Amino acid sequence: MDVAPPYNRAEKHDSTTTAAAATDGKKPQSFVGRPPMASIEDDDERLLARIGYKQELRREFTKWSTVSYAISILGVLGSQPATYGVPISVGGPATAVWAWFVGSIMAMVIASCVAELVSAYPTAGGMYFVTKHVVPEKHVAIWAWIIGWCNFLGQATGVASLAYTIGQMILAGASMNSGLEDGTYAYSPTAAQTVLVAILVLFIFGAICSLTTRALHRIVLWFAPINILATIAICIALLVLTPDKRSAKFVFTDIEDYSGWGSRGFSFLLGFLNVAWVMTDYDGTTHMSEETHDAAVRGPLAIRLAVLVSGVLGWLLNITFTFCLTPTYMDDIVHSPTGLPVAQIFLNAGGRAGGTAMLFFVILVQFFTGASALLANARMTYAFARDEALPFSRFWSKVNTTTGTPVNAVWLVVFFCCCLNLIGIGSTETITAIFNLCAPCLDLSYIAVLFAHQVYADKVQFIEGPFTLGKWSKPLNYLAISWVLFISVVLFFPTAKPVTATNMNYAIVVAAFVGLFSLGWWWAGARHKYTGPRTQDLMHIVGESEPDEYA
């Protein structure tokens, strides 16, 4: 990977096209009489204007709050324990360890490819906006429509699922402290109680995300340090306090076929649901680009650093949890009366008090992740509405005059996620299927842009940003595309066989419904109104910068 000098970037931009010229010290003919592109480090507003949007939000996120935000939106300590039961229940202990290891490497590949594209066009729309600059003009509208809705839906299901898992964790903690009699806790939460707690959590998310950007910056700064320190502390505590730990052979080599599909290899692949759900939303950081200083530089750095840190911490957690399994973990851990396998691991190690303390920090970090995810989803909604892609777009894209943030978009996401969670009262299988759409929808929205970037490379000139993969760009893009297509197919399979109405993976059904609805809406009328990202030539409203560079 190599980083291109930020000053080696000049653009000619209007509402539909962008062309590049090398800045080698000579005045390019296409730039005669036009202002040069400002340096990215010094003038984010001019870069945004050159891209085609007016600066409406306040740039008050710094280097460290951006990195902290990127790490918190992955939120390994909160999200990984929520799904740890999946790999050990379908493929055994070693599946949890090695599926995470392989999945983290592939996550870094995808994240690096995403970082390269959003470095060139750092806007609140993220990868959705990049579509405009990798697809021929006549195809932009349909591509942007599909990618935008796919990204929005993936993020919304992610936010809803985070709130739901927080509800599960809080009530699991209540069960742990209610007293155990005959293998059953005195208190056992109902589906309706879990949903009600999730909705309360969503409202708290909304209140936080409605704050000013400066207040958010101050809050987010603490997210990553708490995440990292708590993860290390919990790993040490579990290894010290767990009285009977498993062997290294058990942890690193024991792969089973608990899924019933008749293949250890396929059961291992099903274990990728854990890492796929946690290590996604790479472009979440880019949705804060219009509130970040030097976004074209700091955004890509934060994305890659977050995946690296989260990958290492998640692997340590998987190894630690697996060492702390019991010999009969399928009965004692997977089917724990707490309803959460990791909660039982905490309870076994630290007792009621110690287990509750560890679970508290998991819930806290999961809360950080949920708030960060809703913030990204709200900024994506704001960008989508700014381009007239939503009903009542003018209202949802309005920036609150008091906070300087798109508060209306925040509460639209809160309301939508509440509606998703309410489904959980009537059907646990349906709500699980909806939540399972998070990773495939987000990853497919990324690779669609990567695919277009490669297919139309000879027809659409793409102007690289300060971060570029150089000669590795093409092979890594194709690797990312191949991996996401492969693993998405696997993740739509039921995780157990024989397949019944209870264990059926309904994600494919929900995905088909959403796809038909989105395309139906497009053909019914949206195609006559929606034209893709609505940029315009705004350089006349900002002052000139570096006027002597081409003199």
Side-chain angles (χ1 to χ4, degrees):
M1 301 178 188
D2 48 284
V3 179
Y7 289 90
N8 188 24
R9 200 172 141 81
E11 298 183 40
K12 179 181 179 181
H13 187 93
D14 56 28
S15 61
T16 56
T17 60
T18 303
T23 56
D24 58 0
K26 300 179 181 179
K27 184 186 296 185
Q29 292 181 351
S30 60
F31 283 86
V32 176
R34 294 197 58 140
M37 183 65 178
S39 63
I40 293 170
E41 283 86 346
D42 296 335
D43 202 335
D44 292 288
E45 182 180 355
R46 184 166 287 99
L47 173 58
L48 188 62
R50 182 69 82 184
I51 289 173
Y53 287 122
K54 180 181 178 181
Q55 182 72 50
E56 294 184 296
L57 308 178
R58 299 167 185 168
R59 293 187 183 269
E60 294 178 318
F61 264 51
T62 64
K63 175 182 179 180
W64 294 112
S65 54
T66 302
V67 170
S68 183
Y69 177 81
I71 292 174
S72 68
I73 204 169
L74 296 179
V76 169
L77 180 58
S79 300
Q80 198 272 345
T83 54
Y84 174 72
V86 174
I88 61 172
S89 64
V90 295
T95 294
V97 174
W98 295 115
W100 184 278
F101 181 81
V102 175
S104 295
I105 293 175
M106 299 312 301
M108 178 59 82
V109 172
I110 302 168
S112 296
C113 295
V114 169
E116 180 180 42
L117 296 188
V118 297
S119 175
Y121 299 99
T123 73
M127 289 288 276
Y128 152 72
F129 177 81
V130 174
T131 308
K132 181 181 178 69
H133 298 280
V134 296
V135 174
E137 182 182 351
K138 63 181 180 179
H139 300 311
V140 166
I142 183 63
W143 276 79
W145 178 266
I146 293 173
I147 291 168
W149 274 104
C150 202
N151 191 272
F152 170 81
L153 181 65
Q155 289 193 0
T157 54
V159 173
S161 65
L162 286 164
Y164 191 85
T165 56
I166 290 172
Q168 289 179 314
M169 290 177 182
I170 291 174
L171 296 181
S175 291
M176 285 169 53
N177 289 277
S178 67
L180 185 66
E181 296 181 7
D182 298 326
T184 304
Y185 284 104
Y187 169 70
S188 180
T190 65
Q193 290 170 337
T194 302
V195 168
L196 289 175
V197 175
I199 290 175
L200 175 62
V201 169
L202 284 168
F203 273 86
I204 299 174
F205 287 168
I208 293 173
C209 294
S210 296
L211 298 173
T212 65
T213 304
R214 180 175 292 275
L216 289 169
H217 150 74
R218 291 171 177 168
I219 295 171
V220 168
L221 268 175
W222 293 96
F223 285 5
I226 293 174
N227 189 349
I228 294 170
L229 293 175
T231 299
I232 295 172
I234 286 175
C235 286
I236 294 173
L238 286 175
L239 292 174
V240 171
L241 296 175
T242 301
D244 180 24
K245 291 182 281 292
R246 307 278 65 77
S247 66
K249 180 179 180 180
F250 173 88
V251 172
F252 294 105
T253 66
D254 191 353
I255 297 176
E256 304 288 346
D257 176 28
Y258 290 143
S259 69
W261 283 96
S263 167
R264 289 188 181 185
F266 190 71
S267 294
F268 176 85
L269 292 177
L270 291 173
F272 278 100
L273 177 63
N274 174 228
V275 64
W277 189 71
V278 179
M279 300 286 278
T280 189
D281 205 7
Y282 318 112
D283 78 328
T285 304
T286 69
H287 294 304
M288 298 300 295
S289 291
E290 294 178 35
E291 294 161 87
T292 302
H293 290 293
D294 306 339
V297 175
R298 291 176 178 173
L301 172 66
I303 291 171
R304 290 174 292 129
L305 183 60
V307 172
L308 175 62
V309 171
S310 299
V312 172
L313 292 178
W315 201 45
L316 291 177
L317 282 170
N318 271 290
I319 292 173
T320 301
F321 292 159
T322 308
F323 267 115
C324 297
L325 292 176
T326 62
T328 55
Y329 64 91
M330 286 297 288
D331 295 322
D332 305 337
I333 304 297
V334 174
H335 299 294
S336 163
T338 65
L340 187 70
V342 170
Q344 189 63 49
I345 292 174
F346 291 161
L347 192 62
N348 293 346
R352 185 178 296 180
T356 301
M358 286 185 275
L359 184 60
F360 167 78
F361 281 101
V362 170
I363 294 171
L364 182 63
V365 171
Q366 187 77 327
F367 185 87
F368 294 162
T369 303
S372 300
L374 191 145
L375 189 59
N377 198 188
R379 297 309 187 259
M380 170 59 198
T381 302
Y382 158 75
F384 213 23
R386 180 170 60 182
D387 296 329
E388 297 289 333
L390 296 174
F392 311 108
S393 286
R394 184 170 297 181
F395 179 77
W396 303 124
S397 63
K398 184 178 180 180
V399 175
N400 187 279
T401 55
T402 301
T403 65
T405 56
V407 174
N408 294 350
V410 169
W411 290 98
L412 172 61
V413 174
V414 170
F415 175 76
F416 183 68
C417 292
C418 285
C419 292
L420 291 179
N421 269 294
L422 285 172
I423 297 172
I425 296 177
S427 173
T428 303
E429 291 77 19
T430 303
I431 194 68
T432 301
I434 291 173
F435 293 161
N436 285 345
L437 287 177
C438 174
C441 278
L442 286 173
D443 286 346
L444 288 171
S445 74
Y446 304 151
I447 67 162
V449 184
L450 300 180
F451 179 75
H453 182 40
Q454 298 304 317
V455 170
Y456 297 119
D458 296 332
K459 298 180 181 179
V460 181
Q461 188 173 22
F462 182 82
I463 302 169
E464 293 181 341
F467 171 72
T468 173
L469 296 171
K471 65 180 181 180
W472 293 101
S473 180
K474 187 177 289 292
L476 288 179
N477 270 253
Y478 281 119
L479 177 59
I481 293 167
S482 302
W483 171 257
V484 171
L485 290 176
F486 168 70
I487 206 63
S488 293
V489 172
V490 172
L491 296 181
F492 278 130
F493 269 82
T495 55
K497 191 179 179 183
V499 180
T500 65
T502 301
N503 64 27
M504 171 63 184
N505 187 343
Y506 291 97
I508 188 66
V509 178
V510 177
F513 172 79
V514 172
L516 290 173
F517 174 80
S518 176
L519 290 176
W521 184 5
W522 167 262
W523 288 108
R527 60 195 176 101
H528 299 301
K529 181 179 179 181
Y530 179 73
T531 58
R534 298 192 174 188
T535 57
Q536 53 185 313
D537 190 350
L538 296 173
M539 285 307 295
H540 64 282
I541 68 172
V542 295
E544 303 300 327
S545 175
E546 304 170 358
D548 298 330
E549 183 178 340
Y550 289 94

